[in-house]
Amino acid sequence: MKGIRSRSEIRRHDLLGKLQRPEAAKSISDIPLTLEKWDSLLREYLESGGRRLSFEERRASLLMLLPQKCREEVFFRIPEMQTVVEYGLSEDAQDEAMAKLRSQVQRQAELMVQWSAMNGRQDPAHMM
């Protein structure tokens, strides 16, 4: 007899790949929606029995979610992108640090979209 893998195990494996190598937002204005989709994938992954991702893994994924033109700017302009989180930090503390970082990235994207609209530009500026 052959062992058959459960659907949840296959789904969990599929979701992990999407979490670790997410598709980047097409533009700055798409960042909030892209972040929401990634959060939904993470919830689904955890609900299917997946392991909790570390702060480092989530931060790396967050950078990958950003349009290529923005990654370097975000990394150097938001100090929390460069902060080393101690491995002994509690899960709650890591979650809090990630929530703060995510909020800063989303806020920066929203400000850029507003700035572009205020200046009559069709596409948001690519500089953060």
Side-chain angles (χ1 to χ4, degrees):
M1 291 182 79
K2 274 188 169 180
I4 299 175
R5 295 183 181 253
S6 72
R7 288 186 184 189
S8 64
E9 183 180 349
I10 293 168
R11 180 67 178 145
R12 194 171 51 243
H13 179 70
D14 181 49
L15 289 170
L16 181 59
K18 291 177 181 177
L19 289 169
Q20 292 175 332
R21 294 173 305 282
E23 186 176 327
K26 303 278 187 247
S27 69
I28 293 170
S29 59
D30 291 340
I31 290 173
L33 180 59
T34 302
L35 289 171
E36 288 300 320
K37 286 180 182 178
W38 191 88
D39 288 342
S40 294
L41 284 174
L42 179 59
R43 275 191 300 280
E44 187 177 344
Y45 172 72
L46 294 172
E47 289 169 0
S48 69
R51 68 173 174 78
R52 192 183 150 286
L53 299 180
S54 71
F55 176 83
E56 289 292 325
E57 291 171 309
R58 289 182 281 174
R59 178 172 57 184
S61 293
L62 178 60
L63 273 174
M64 295 302 293
L65 287 168
L66 301 175
Q68 179 66 37
K69 298 173 184 176
C70 301
R71 289 179 193 159
E72 184 176 341
E73 284 288 323
V74 167
F75 186 81
F76 289 113
R77 288 192 184 244
I78 298 177
E80 283 77 5
M81 275 292 182
Q82 300 168 36
T83 301
V84 176
V85 174
E86 297 176 25
Y87 288 103
L89 213 55
S90 72
E91 289 182 4
D92 289 340
Q94 287 187 38
D95 290 344
E96 188 177 309
M98 188 62 209
K100 181 180 177 184
L101 178 59
R102 184 194 181 288
S103 175
Q104 290 175 330
V105 169
Q106 185 166 343
R107 180 68 179 144
Q108 186 67 44
E110 290 168 354
L111 287 172
M112 290 181 65
V113 169
Q114 290 173 8
W115 181 263
S116 295
M118 184 177 73
N119 290 321
R121 295 175 61 178
Q122 295 271 342
D123 296 323
H126 290 293
M127 300 300 289
M128 288 195 157

